[in-house]
Each structure stands twice: as C-alpha cells, then as structure tokens.
Amino acid sequence: EVQVVESGGGLVQPGGSLRLSCGASGFTFKNYAMSWVRQAPGKGLEWVSTISGTGGSTVSADSVMGRFTISRDNSKNTVYLHMNIMRAEDTAIYYCAKSYSMAMFGGELDYWGQGTLVTVSS
Amino acid sequence: DIQMTQSPSSLSASVGDRVTIICRTSQTISSYLNWYQLKPGKAPKLLISTAFSLQSGVPSRFSGGGSGTDFTLTISSLQPEDFATYFCQQSYRTPYTFGQGTKLEIK
C-alpha cells in the first residue's frame, strides 16, 4: 500500500525558515518524481515544486523561486521542502504527492499525503 | 503560464443527479488534464488522468472527456460520498496549474 506522510509544519515568523519532510513507502521511491502542492486558507490548489526521481533536476513556481528548495534522500525515501524568507502569503496546508508516471517531472499526482499546516505570522 | 477556468465554482445537487463540471485552458494541452477530489482533513484523490483515464478504484459513475482546451468531469449518479470539492489540473507543462475548484453541495 502506498503511503505519503508529511511533517514539519508549524508557526513561523515572517522572514523565518522551516523545513518540511515527506516520508513515502509502498513503491520504488527513486523511480518517481515527487511534488509539493499547497492550499492557502479559502483558496485553491497551487503547485509549488517538483523533483525528479534521481534528485538531479528540480522545477519550482515563480512565487517560491529563490526562497524554497526541494530536495530528496532516496536512501531514506524522503523528500524535503526547505522554506526560507517566508511571507504571510506562504500560509497554507502543504501537501506532498507522488507522480503517477515515471516521467522526469510527471505532473499527474496519484498519491497525496493529508498535508501539514504552515502558518507565517508574528 | 497556462490559465485554467473551471465552472461552476459551486453546485448544489441531490443524490442520484447527474452533474458536469467544465474546465477550460488558455492554450491547447492535448489530453494532459487531470481531476482531483478534495475532502476536508483528507488526502486529495486523483480521479481521472489524461482527460479520461479512470484511476484504479474510482467508481465508474465518474467519467472525463475533452481534449485541446475544453474538458469535462461528469458524475452520472451522485452518491452521498461524492459531495466534495473538485479541481482540474493541467500537466502539459510547468508551472502545473489548477482550476479554482468546484464545491459540490447537497441540495
């Protein structure tokens, strides 16, 4: 059974940093791209970042470019989202999701976690 | 970026009704259109990928269609567990963009 579980959310001050983790199991982790998607309160879904299966390639939304970094450790079946210079508008539930296909940046997301809440406030 | 226009934003319907949600894209995306179901406190669920491919375990009352710039999600006979929020998403190119969502409520 595929499982995806996020952790690391919490309250952070504007300008601060936070690292989210996402543990996965039930599939050959290194073969699939992984993504982060967020949902701000009362808003829709926003794609944040995707990392290839090997970890050698990443792509991110303009809204987080230069502030957020996605990475992965295939020995631990874990993907991370390092968030720096955080802003109030980064407040959201952050979801981690697995790509359906083995494409480098497969955008169809077939397994998601339940999300972790990040609040940016003083 | 590819803009997504999803309609309606909300929909009130009864158990047993047939409903259709529309998603239009600002440029052609072939069939790279996916549909997700969201319920509060639960993991989002992929229902349909590449416009019409039903995911394993998803009931056959869900169906998808369209190509190019116009796509639909149809639920043929609403069940109580279908009342949720639905999002379309294009996976043609990054940034992967989502529609604004359709909240399906019980009438």
Side-chain angles (χ1 to χ4, degrees):
Chain A
E1 179 191 5
V2 173
Q3 289 194 319
V4 176
V5 180
E6 306 93 341
S7 61
L11 176 65
V12 61
Q13 292 190 337
S17 299
L18 200 64
R19 187 186 79 166
L20 304 183
S21 299
C22 169
S25 61
F27 62 99
T28 305
F29 186 71
K30 65 179 182 177
N31 287 351
Y32 293 90
M34 297 291 292
S35 296
W36 289 95
V37 175
R38 66 186 180 183
Q39 184 176 29
K43 303 288 188 180
L45 296 172
E46 179 188 15
W47 168 79
V48 174
S49 193
T50 298
I51 186 167
S52 64
T54 63
S57 299
T58 65
V59 60
S60 298
D62 286 349
S63 59
V64 304
M65 196 83 70
R67 301 187 301 121
F68 291 12
T69 302
I70 189 172
S71 65
R72 66 191 294 161
D73 184 339
N74 285 349
S75 70
K76 296 182 178 178
N77 282 16
T78 301
V79 62
Y80 303 97
L81 186 66
H82 309 260
M83 303 185 290
N84 298 313
I85 318 174
M86 296 187 72
R87 306 166 179 163
E89 54 265 36
D90 295 322
T91 295
I93 297 172
Y94 283 74
Y95 296 101
C96 175
K98 167 191 170 290
S99 288
Y100 172 65
S101 74
M102 292 190 189
M104 180 179 286
F105 293 133
E108 304 92 348
L109 306 173
D110 61 347
Y111 288 95
W112 300 55
Q114 292 190 331
T116 187
L117 177 63
V118 172
T119 303
V120 183
S121 175
S122 55
Chain B
D1 296 2
I2 297 173
Q3 308 303 314
M4 312 290 287
T5 303
Q6 186 176 339
S7 62
S9 57
S10 64
L11 181 55
S12 183
S14 302
V15 173
D17 284 354
R18 177 186 180 92
V19 299
T20 296
I21 300 169
I22 294 169
C23 188
R24 291 197 167 96
T25 61
S26 60
Q27 56 188 272
T28 184
I29 60 168
S30 184
S31 296
Y32 291 92
L33 193 284
N34 312 301
W35 291 98
Y36 300 89
Q37 179 190 64
L38 267 73
K39 294 181 178 180
K42 300 192 77 175
K45 181 179 182 180
L46 175 64
L47 300 174
I48 290 171
S49 62
T50 52
F52 55 82
S53 296
L54 198 66
Q55 291 299 291
S56 174
V58 175
S60 59
R61 62 180 179 272
F62 290 90
S63 63
S67 66
T69 61
D70 295 320
F71 301 88
T72 58
L73 171 69
T74 297
I75 310 172
S76 60
S77 178
L78 277 171
Q79 298 302 299
E81 60 268 29
D82 300 337
F83 292 94
T85 302
Y86 295 85
F87 287 90
C88 59
Q89 176 226 12
Q90 64 82 15
S91 52
Y92 182 70
R93 70 159 65 99
T94 59
Y96 300 130
T97 42
F98 292 84
Q100 302 94 321
T102 296
K103 187 172 184 179
L104 183 51
E105 297 174 310
I106 300 175
K107 184 183 287 184

